[in-house]
Amino acid sequence: MGRSRYKILEDRYPYFLTSTIVEHYKIFDLQQFRCVLIDGLNFLAKERNIEINAYVIMPNHFHLIAKGEDLGIHLARFKSYSARRILDALDEENLKIWLERFREAKRNHKKDREYQLWMEGI
């Protein structure tokens, strides 16, 4: 399991959450990657019964106000899925400079992956 700083103690309360791209790279300047986040948030709301109260997508991070059962688990899965979709799209579109940046940003203890998109615990 990842090193999350999220401390979801009560399912009934909304939480303000922030997730940031490694090295603060501005990947969300590209609309297609903002759409990946929006699609994932819609999935959380419809399929996982996560109540999304508000969100804002900035160039290198997003903020979310949400509540729901197992919110931390669902958010971790959402981030994993969104990272995979973004990295696959970068590869398909031959945007190698971005892939190299995410390869260089990977933490040494991350032995199970080639790239790291999201900052740890944020």
Side-chain angles (χ1 to χ4, degrees), residues 34-77:
R34 291 190 305 268
C35 290
V36 168
L37 288 185
I38 293 167
D39 290 347
L41 292 172
N42 286 333
F43 177 84
L44 287 176
K46 291 177 185 171
E47 302 298 327
R48 298 297 181 250
N49 296 317
I50 299 299
E51 183 179 313
I52 307 290
N53 298 111
Y55 67 87
V56 61
I57 301 171
M58 305 302 287
N60 61 4
H61 66 283
F62 74 94
H63 301 288
L64 173 67
I65 300 174
K67 73 176 182 175
E69 192 172 320
D70 298 321
L71 180 59
I73 293 167
H74 290 304
L75 189 60
R77 290 177 182 159

Side-chain angles (χ1 to χ4, degrees), residues 6-96:
Y6 297 131
K7 302 295 182 216
I8 309 297
L9 303 174
E10 301 260 354
D11 292 341
R12 61 186 174 165
Y13 297 115
Y15 286 82
F16 177 80
L17 308 159
T18 299
S19 290
T20 304
I21 298 296
V22 293
E23 304 298 334
H24 298 276
Y25 291 131
K26 295 180 178 182
I27 195 75
F28 299 125
D29 278 347
L30 301 171
Q31 180 179 355
Q32 70 194 70
F33 302 131
R34 291 190 305 268
C35 290
V36 168
L37 288 185
I38 293 167
D39 290 347
L41 292 172
N42 286 333
F43 177 84
L44 287 176
K46 291 177 185 171
E47 302 298 327
R48 298 297 181 250
N49 296 317
I50 299 299
E51 183 179 313
I52 307 290
N53 298 111
Y55 67 87
V56 61
I57 301 171
M58 305 302 287
N60 61 4
H61 66 283
F62 74 94
H63 301 288
L64 173 67
I65 300 174
K67 73 176 182 175
E69 192 172 320
D70 298 321
L71 180 59
I73 293 167
H74 290 304
L75 189 60
R77 290 177 182 159
F78 158 77
K79 287 172 61 176
S80 177
Y81 175 76
S82 63
R84 183 75 270 143
R85 289 232 359 239
I86 290 169
L87 293 167
D88 286 348
L90 290 171
D91 188 43
E92 289 170 14
E93 295 176 24
N94 206 27
L95 297 171
K96 301 296 183 196

